[in-house]
Amino acid sequence: VPDGSGGGDQNIGLIQPASETVPADSCFFVKALLPEFEGRDARYLLCHIDGFNVTYQEETQEDVQRIFGGWPGLPIRRNPSTQYSITSHGEDFGAASGHEGDIVKHIFRRLDRDHDSLVTPQELMAACSEEEVRKALSLSFPDTRLEDIMAALDANHDGAVSLQEFSDYMTYMIAEASPVSSTDSP
């Protein structure tokens, strides 16, 4: 742990300082560290929330240091190739629609890149390049690193996630998020 606090990466959770050039309602925060993958260096995932609109942007460690520490008040350069905007009211993935099972299977198929009915850490990371997958994971696992997502989904700790493990976890999360579960009715 870099800062010795036991809390992980010291950059995660940093909030961009507001200034004359960066108003408070335009500031990003550091949401996660995306690990090195297929020749790409590790990068940070920045996030800006404005009501139901969420904007994500990837930045290098150097840029995070520049934006969040070295020169406060510098605006983030918008980069369309590494920026994703999502507007959601929860309905995008079937929230409370009665079709949660179909949605869960659809998302699992998007994660399972080689179609062997298992999702490996590498497949999870590769699938995160798709906006729909990133959206689903950010709604289900806010402020969570990919390694922690994998650990949460891999119930039998074999290093891969089966459809059953994925479905069980997502069904549990949907039930927990529901204001009234079926066990609460008389």
Side-chain angles (χ1 to χ4, degrees):
V1 177
D3 62 4
S5 69
D9 190 292
Q10 63 187 6
N11 291 319
I12 295 175
L14 289 177
I15 300 172
Q16 182 181 19
S19 69
E20 287 182 20
T21 57
V22 181
D25 62 356
S26 297
C27 292
F28 278 74
F29 66 92
V30 180
K31 180 170 181 144
L33 175 62
L34 304 173
E36 183 179 321
F37 181 70
E38 292 184 353
R40 286 188 71 191
D41 291 336
R43 300 177 67 79
Y44 284 95
L45 182 64
L46 307 184
C47 181
H48 170 72
I49 300 171
D50 182 16
F52 292 106
N53 186 39
V54 180
T55 303
Y56 293 103
Q57 183 158 322
E58 297 176 22
E59 293 292 346
T60 65
Q61 182 171 0
E62 294 78 24
D63 284 334
V64 165
Q65 294 300 320
R66 177 184 61 80
I67 295 164
F68 293 86
W71 296 280
L74 286 179
I76 292 177
R77 292 176 292 223
R78 305 293 176 153
N79 183 346
S81 66
T82 62
Q83 187 178 79
Y84 313 94
S85 289
I86 300 167
T87 301
S88 175
H89 303 280
E91 71 283 353
D92 295 341
F93 296 99
S97 69
H99 298 287
E100 289 84 357
D102 294 339
I103 304 295
V104 167
K105 287 177 188 174
H106 172 75
I107 293 171
F108 182 85
R109 285 193 300 268
R110 299 293 292 266
L111 297 173
D112 182 17
R113 308 301 252 190
D114 63 3
H115 309 291
D116 66 351
S117 300
L118 294 172
V119 175
T120 64
Q122 295 80 13
E123 287 175 308
L124 180 62
M125 194 177 317
C128 285
S129 65
E130 294 182 30
E131 182 177 351
E132 181 179 82
V133 172
R134 288 175 79 110
K135 187 189 305 187
L137 290 174
S138 71
L139 292 171
S140 300
F141 299 94
D143 302 318
T144 307
R145 298 176 320 147
L146 285 176
E147 294 86 3
D148 296 332
I149 293 172
M150 192 68 189
L153 294 172
D154 185 13
N156 66 4
H157 310 292
D158 65 353
V161 178
S162 68
L163 174 57
Q164 188 63 53
E165 287 173 308
F166 187 75
S167 180
D168 289 349
Y169 186 88
M170 297 310 287
T171 300
Y172 168 77
M173 293 304 291
I174 291 168
E176 285 294 306
S178 174
V180 178
S181 71
S182 60
T183 59
D184 293 336
S185 53

